[in-house]
Amino acid sequence: MRDATLTVHHPFVDESEFASLCPPTQRASTIVFDTAESYSKRGARDLDSYSYGMHGTPTQRVLEAQLTALEGGVKTVILPSGQAAIAAIFLSALKPGDHVLVTETAYPPVSGLCENFLSVLGIEWSTFPPGAGARIGDYIRPQTKLIWTESPGSTTMEIEDIPAIAAIARERGILTGIDNTWATPLLFKPLAHGIDFSMQALTKYPSGHSDILMGSVTVNDLTLRKKLRDVMRMMGYHTAPDAVSLVLRGLETMAVRLAHSGKVASEIAREIDASYPVEVLSPVLPSSPGHPLWQRDFKGASGLFSVVLPEEWQARLDRALDALEVFAIGASWGGTRSLIAPMSVAAHRTTAHPRNDRTILRLSIGLEDPQDLRSDLNRFFGILTQA
Ligand SMILES: *Cc1c(COP(=O)(O)O)cnc(C)c1O
């Protein structure tokens, strides 16, 4: 062969005695076949086989299998973001004329998806209030084909009775899905409680370093997986192996990171609750309405909780936030750095609640020294409580 050919033909390297602890990052758009026959029969193989980079390389398969094991499911699909994972579930489960019932406390872009995209396609949606549990039947319509939950609820942290909702939905032949990003499958395993689609934003704890967007959906039914893969193929959803390999790396430390952040966050939530005239929203507090369900169903807490501020602190809030030295101001969460984000939920809620109109601070506890976090919060609350 001549030089130009040699520049594009990679030589064979014997890998038989190579063993590394890290899964290789295998990139591909084109995937080639040994024979004309295996090429022509490629479509007849199962969905785990390789035919085009769009549908995954062994790098994606490793993450899929690892998440499947953690979730206790049968198959997992990987998507370019958490929101894309939610959209893929909705598109795979709903068709024009169907209705989707969504928790009022869902991650806010979910209502955007329903209102601005699905409703245009003739898919109706409505919400149910947090804490509906066994009363979910009151909100189900004859056309309801999917119930979408999130527990704890976004920002306001209500715990939902997932087994009760899943049981009622199953009786009526309705699919259920959950955004399990707060707990990750380490703290709550939705499929074991009867949920059909367990979704998480890998963007948060699994990637763990604030540098990746990715989502996953795990199911224990091959038909649901097939429908998800159909949507992904038609929409051209693809997640690069380089990003997947960073999530594989992040995942290796997730149990330790999550245990640490959960412990420190629970301590700090209790301290804030005991020290200031605020309402702390966290299922770890025995005074929280969701506490008994959380104790029943969850293995522990992650690092995210919220604090509802008294109205009279509002004028000093920006100054207090600007004085933070350890916490960064920002949305998202699940990384090494602790974050504070002032949130307002009123625009997304249909059930009246006095806190809906107040500023809610969402705190994500990272991996800094807890004493540095406490000093920063003391300074922060010091400014807020100044007469
Ligand atoms: C971040 C997040 C999402 C969306 O994930 P992206 O990867 O940012 O699209 C969905 N649900 C919850 C609860 C989240 O925290």
mmCIF file of all heavy atoms in Angstrom, residues 80-84 86 107 150 154 179 181-182 199 201-204 212-215 304 332-333 362, ligand 1:
data_model
loop_
_atom_site.group_PDB
_atom_site.id
_atom_site.type_symbol
_atom_site.label_atom_id
_atom_site.label_comp_id
_atom_site.label_asym_id
_atom_site.label_seq_id
_atom_site.Cartn_x
_atom_site.Cartn_y
_atom_site.Cartn_z
ATOM 1 N N PRO A 80 -28.931 13.032 25.146
ATOM 2 C CA PRO A 80 -27.996 14.164 25.241
ATOM 3 C C PRO A 80 -28.220 15.086 26.433
ATOM 4 O O PRO A 80 -27.343 15.895 26.762
ATOM 5 C CB PRO A 80 -28.220 14.946 23.945
ATOM 6 C CG PRO A 80 -29.088 14.119 23.091
ATOM 7 C CD PRO A 80 -29.713 13.050 23.907
ATOM 8 N N SER A 81 -29.360 15.011 27.103
ATOM 9 C CA SER A 81 -29.578 15.824 28.306
ATOM 10 C C SER A 81 -30.726 15.192 29.091
ATOM 11 O O SER A 81 -31.451 14.334 28.574
ATOM 12 C CB SER A 81 -29.943 17.274 27.938
ATOM 13 O OG SER A 81 -31.228 17.317 27.348
ATOM 14 N N GLY A 82 -30.909 15.661 30.309
ATOM 15 C CA GLY A 82 -32.042 15.193 31.098
ATOM 16 C C GLY A 82 -33.357 15.570 30.427
ATOM 17 O O GLY A 82 -34.295 14.766 30.362
ATOM 18 N N GLN A 83 -33.425 16.792 29.929
ATOM 19 C CA GLN A 83 -34.661 17.243 29.268
ATOM 20 C C GLN A 83 -34.941 16.394 28.031
ATOM 21 O O GLN A 83 -36.091 16.055 27.751
ATOM 22 C CB GLN A 83 -34.540 18.739 28.917
ATOM 23 C CG GLN A 83 -35.712 19.315 28.147
ATOM 24 C CD GLN A 83 -37.004 19.451 28.965
ATOM 25 O OE1 GLN A 83 -37.034 19.183 30.171
ATOM 26 N NE2 GLN A 83 -38.075 19.860 28.305
ATOM 27 N N ALA A 84 -33.892 16.044 27.281
ATOM 28 C CA ALA A 84 -34.084 15.187 26.104
ATOM 29 C C ALA A 84 -34.612 13.820 26.525
ATOM 30 O O ALA A 84 -35.425 13.211 25.812
ATOM 31 C CB ALA A 84 -32.770 15.026 25.334
ATOM 32 N N ILE A 86 -36.572 13.218 29.099
ATOM 33 C CA ILE A 86 -37.999 13.396 29.407
ATOM 34 C C ILE A 86 -38.800 13.476 28.101
ATOM 35 O O ILE A 86 -39.832 12.814 27.937
ATOM 36 C CB ILE A 86 -38.216 14.675 30.266
ATOM 37 C CG1 ILE A 86 -37.485 14.536 31.610
ATOM 38 C CG2 ILE A 86 -39.707 14.938 30.470
ATOM 39 C CD1 ILE A 86 -37.409 15.822 32.424
ATOM 40 N N TYR A 107 -39.826 19.379 37.152
ATOM 41 C CA TYR A 107 -38.775 20.251 36.607
ATOM 42 C C TYR A 107 -39.442 21.191 35.583
ATOM 43 O O TYR A 107 -40.088 20.721 34.631
ATOM 44 C CB TYR A 107 -37.733 19.330 35.973
ATOM 45 C CG TYR A 107 -36.632 19.975 35.198
ATOM 46 C CD1 TYR A 107 -35.653 20.742 35.815
ATOM 47 C CD2 TYR A 107 -36.546 19.789 33.817
ATOM 48 C CE1 TYR A 107 -34.626 21.301 35.083
ATOM 49 C CE2 TYR A 107 -35.519 20.339 33.078
ATOM 50 C CZ TYR A 107 -34.559 21.103 33.723
ATOM 51 O OH TYR A 107 -33.549 21.656 32.995
ATOM 52 N N GLU A 150 -42.264 13.384 39.966
ATOM 53 C CA GLU A 150 -40.921 13.759 40.393
ATOM 54 C C GLU A 150 -40.972 13.798 41.906
ATOM 55 O O GLU A 150 -41.870 14.409 42.482
ATOM 56 C CB GLU A 150 -40.544 15.135 39.818
ATOM 57 C CG GLU A 150 -39.121 15.550 40.128
ATOM 58 C CD GLU A 150 -38.694 16.817 39.367
ATOM 59 O OE1 GLU A 150 -39.183 17.045 38.238
ATOM 60 O OE2 GLU A 150 -37.881 17.579 39.917
ATOM 61 N N SER A 154 -39.644 19.344 42.450
ATOM 62 C CA SER A 154 -38.653 20.348 42.089
ATOM 63 C C SER A 154 -38.764 21.559 43.017
ATOM 64 O O SER A 154 -39.855 22.114 43.182
ATOM 65 C CB SER A 154 -38.910 20.779 40.636
ATOM 66 O OG SER A 154 -37.724 21.075 39.990
ATOM 67 N N ASP A 179 -38.957 11.420 37.312
ATOM 68 C CA ASP A 179 -37.673 12.105 37.276
ATOM 69 C C ASP A 179 -37.003 11.820 38.621
ATOM 70 O O ASP A 179 -37.410 12.344 39.658
ATOM 71 C CB ASP A 179 -37.917 13.613 37.077
ATOM 72 C CG ASP A 179 -36.633 14.398 36.905
ATOM 73 O OD1 ASP A 179 -35.589 13.972 37.440
ATOM 74 O OD2 ASP A 179 -36.678 15.458 36.263
ATOM 75 N N THR A 181 -33.845 12.337 39.513
ATOM 76 C CA THR A 181 -32.536 13.000 39.537
ATOM 77 C C THR A 181 -32.061 13.305 40.956
ATOM 78 O O THR A 181 -30.878 13.195 41.262
ATOM 79 C CB THR A 181 -32.598 14.292 38.692
ATOM 80 O OG1 THR A 181 -32.995 13.941 37.365
ATOM 81 C CG2 THR A 181 -31.263 14.995 38.651
ATOM 82 N N TRP A 182 -32.973 13.702 41.845
ATOM 83 C CA TRP A 182 -32.565 14.058 43.215
ATOM 84 C C TRP A 182 -31.954 12.848 43.925
ATOM 85 O O TRP A 182 -30.893 12.932 44.526
ATOM 86 C CB TRP A 182 -33.771 14.569 44.010
ATOM 87 C CG TRP A 182 -33.455 15.041 45.413
ATOM 88 C CD1 TRP A 182 -33.033 16.295 45.782
ATOM 89 C CD2 TRP A 182 -33.544 14.277 46.638
ATOM 90 N NE1 TRP A 182 -32.855 16.355 47.150
ATOM 91 C CE2 TRP A 182 -33.156 15.134 47.699
ATOM 92 C CE3 TRP A 182 -33.912 12.961 46.926
ATOM 93 C CZ2 TRP A 182 -33.139 14.725 49.035
ATOM 94 C CZ3 TRP A 182 -33.880 12.547 48.257
ATOM 95 C CH2 TRP A 182 -33.502 13.424 49.293
ATOM 96 N N MET A 199 -36.154 7.925 34.952
ATOM 97 C CA MET A 199 -35.301 8.870 34.238
ATOM 98 C C MET A 199 -34.409 9.600 35.240
ATOM 99 O O MET A 199 -34.815 9.876 36.370
ATOM 100 C CB MET A 199 -36.213 9.864 33.487
ATOM 101 C CG MET A 199 -35.525 11.084 32.926
ATOM 102 S SD MET A 199 -35.651 12.441 34.111
ATOM 103 C CE MET A 199 -34.312 13.490 33.562
ATOM 104 N N ALA A 201 -31.272 12.887 35.262
ATOM 105 C CA ALA A 201 -30.341 13.798 34.594
ATOM 106 C C ALA A 201 -28.945 13.377 35.057
ATOM 107 O O ALA A 201 -28.563 13.632 36.201
ATOM 108 C CB ALA A 201 -30.644 15.252 34.953
ATOM 109 N N LEU A 202 -28.206 12.710 34.171
ATOM 110 C CA LEU A 202 -26.825 12.317 34.495
ATOM 111 C C LEU A 202 -25.946 13.548 34.668
ATOM 112 O O LEU A 202 -24.856 13.482 35.236
ATOM 113 C CB LEU A 202 -26.269 11.413 33.390
ATOM 114 C CG LEU A 202 -27.081 10.142 33.092
ATOM 115 C CD1 LEU A 202 -26.505 9.408 31.888
ATOM 116 C CD2 LEU A 202 -27.111 9.225 34.304
ATOM 117 N N THR A 203 -26.467 14.670 34.181
ATOM 118 C CA THR A 203 -25.863 15.991 34.360
ATOM 119 C C THR A 203 -25.516 16.277 35.827
ATOM 120 O O THR A 203 -24.573 17.004 36.116
ATOM 121 C CB THR A 203 -26.893 17.040 33.878
ATOM 122 O OG1 THR A 203 -27.294 16.699 32.559
ATOM 123 C CG2 THR A 203 -26.351 18.452 33.922
ATOM 124 N N LYS A 204 -26.277 15.712 36.740
ATOM 125 C CA LYS A 204 -26.142 16.059 38.160
ATOM 126 C C LYS A 204 -25.157 15.097 38.844
ATOM 127 O O LYS A 204 -23.994 15.109 38.540
ATOM 128 C CB LYS A 204 -27.514 16.096 38.827
ATOM 129 C CG LYS A 204 -28.535 16.941 38.036
ATOM 130 C CD LYS A 204 -28.157 18.414 37.959
ATOM 131 C CE LYS A 204 -28.890 19.189 36.870
ATOM 132 N NZ LYS A 204 -30.337 19.084 36.869
ATOM 133 N N ILE A 212 -20.901 18.355 32.142
ATOM 134 C CA ILE A 212 -21.531 17.441 31.176
ATOM 135 C C ILE A 212 -23.043 17.600 31.253
ATOM 136 O O ILE A 212 -23.585 17.775 32.343
ATOM 137 C CB ILE A 212 -21.196 15.966 31.563
ATOM 138 C CG1 ILE A 212 -19.724 15.668 31.354
ATOM 139 C CG2 ILE A 212 -22.069 14.969 30.814
ATOM 140 C CD1 ILE A 212 -19.320 15.561 29.917
ATOM 141 N N LEU A 213 -23.703 17.523 30.114
ATOM 142 C CA LEU A 213 -25.157 17.350 30.108
ATOM 143 C C LEU A 213 -25.461 15.972 29.544
ATOM 144 O O LEU A 213 -24.901 15.597 28.506
ATOM 145 C CB LEU A 213 -25.843 18.403 29.243
ATOM 146 C CG LEU A 213 -25.912 19.784 29.894
ATOM 147 C CD1 LEU A 213 -25.178 20.795 29.076
ATOM 148 C CD2 LEU A 213 -27.342 20.184 30.132
ATOM 149 N N MET A 214 -26.335 15.235 30.209
ATOM 150 C CA MET A 214 -26.711 13.908 29.708
ATOM 151 C C MET A 214 -27.907 13.395 30.505
ATOM 152 O O MET A 214 -28.118 13.815 31.646
ATOM 153 C CB MET A 214 -25.533 12.933 29.839
ATOM 154 C CG MET A 214 -25.587 11.778 28.856
ATOM 155 S SD MET A 214 -24.127 10.715 28.994
ATOM 156 C CE MET A 214 -22.849 11.814 28.421
ATOM 157 N N GLY A 215 -28.658 12.513 29.898
ATOM 158 C CA GLY A 215 -29.803 11.934 30.599
ATOM 159 C C GLY A 215 -29.904 10.454 30.316
ATOM 160 O O GLY A 215 -29.284 9.944 29.370
ATOM 161 N N LEU A 304 -29.375 18.307 48.088
ATOM 162 C CA LEU A 304 -30.182 19.451 47.634
ATOM 163 C C LEU A 304 -31.365 19.676 48.555
ATOM 164 O O LEU A 304 -32.130 18.743 48.819
ATOM 165 C CB LEU A 304 -30.691 19.164 46.220
ATOM 166 C CG LEU A 304 -31.292 20.344 45.459
ATOM 167 C CD1 LEU A 304 -30.188 21.202 44.867
ATOM 168 C CD2 LEU A 304 -32.221 19.862 44.356
ATOM 169 N N SER A 332 -28.639 24.392 38.369
ATOM 170 C CA SER A 332 -28.058 23.061 38.260
ATOM 171 C C SER A 332 -27.503 22.637 39.620
ATOM 172 O O SER A 332 -27.587 23.408 40.587
ATOM 173 C CB SER A 332 -26.989 22.973 37.182
ATOM 174 O OG SER A 332 -26.768 21.609 36.859
ATOM 175 N N TRP A 333 -26.952 21.438 39.721
ATOM 176 C CA TRP A 333 -26.476 20.929 41.002
ATOM 177 C C TRP A 333 -25.853 19.560 40.815
ATOM 178 O O TRP A 333 -25.824 19.042 39.703
ATOM 179 C CB TRP A 333 -27.608 20.881 42.041
ATOM 180 C CG TRP A 333 -28.917 20.328 41.571
ATOM 181 C CD1 TRP A 333 -29.861 21.008 40.870
ATOM 182 C CD2 TRP A 333 -29.438 19.008 41.756
ATOM 183 N NE1 TRP A 333 -30.929 20.184 40.617
ATOM 184 C CE2 TRP A 333 -30.700 18.955 41.149
ATOM 185 C CE3 TRP A 333 -28.952 17.863 42.397
ATOM 186 C CZ2 TRP A 333 -31.497 17.803 41.149
ATOM 187 C CZ3 TRP A 333 -29.736 16.718 42.401
ATOM 188 C CH2 TRP A 333 -30.992 16.703 41.781
ATOM 189 N N ARG A 362 -32.521 27.648 46.746
ATOM 190 C CA ARG A 362 -32.201 26.228 46.615
ATOM 191 C C ARG A 362 -30.703 26.049 46.837
ATOM 192 O O ARG A 362 -29.891 26.706 46.181
ATOM 193 C CB ARG A 362 -32.620 25.726 45.236
ATOM 194 C CG ARG A 362 -32.806 24.225 45.203
ATOM 195 C CD ARG A 362 -33.233 23.766 43.849
ATOM 196 N NE ARG A 362 -32.182 24.010 42.875
ATOM 197 C CZ ARG A 362 -32.295 23.714 41.585
ATOM 198 N NH1 ARG A 362 -33.402 23.186 41.126
ATOM 199 N NH2 ARG A 362 -31.315 23.949 40.756
HETATM 200 C C1 LIG B 1 -31.196 19.237 35.668
HETATM 201 C C2 LIG B 1 -32.477 18.527 35.751
HETATM 202 C C3 LIG B 1 -33.141 18.099 34.612
HETATM 203 C C4 LIG B 1 -32.649 18.375 33.231
HETATM 204 O O1 LIG B 1 -31.396 17.889 32.974
HETATM 205 P P1 LIG B 1 -30.508 18.594 31.832
HETATM 206 O O2 LIG B 1 -29.442 17.595 31.569
HETATM 207 O O3 LIG B 1 -30.022 19.879 32.393
HETATM 208 O O4 LIG B 1 -31.418 18.781 30.646
HETATM 209 C C5 LIG B 1 -34.328 17.424 34.772
HETATM 210 N N1 LIG B 1 -34.840 17.191 35.996
HETATM 211 C C6 LIG B 1 -34.233 17.591 37.099
HETATM 212 C C7 LIG B 1 -34.851 17.302 38.423
HETATM 213 C C8 LIG B 1 -33.042 18.280 37.031
HETATM 214 O O5 LIG B 1 -32.434 18.678 38.143
#
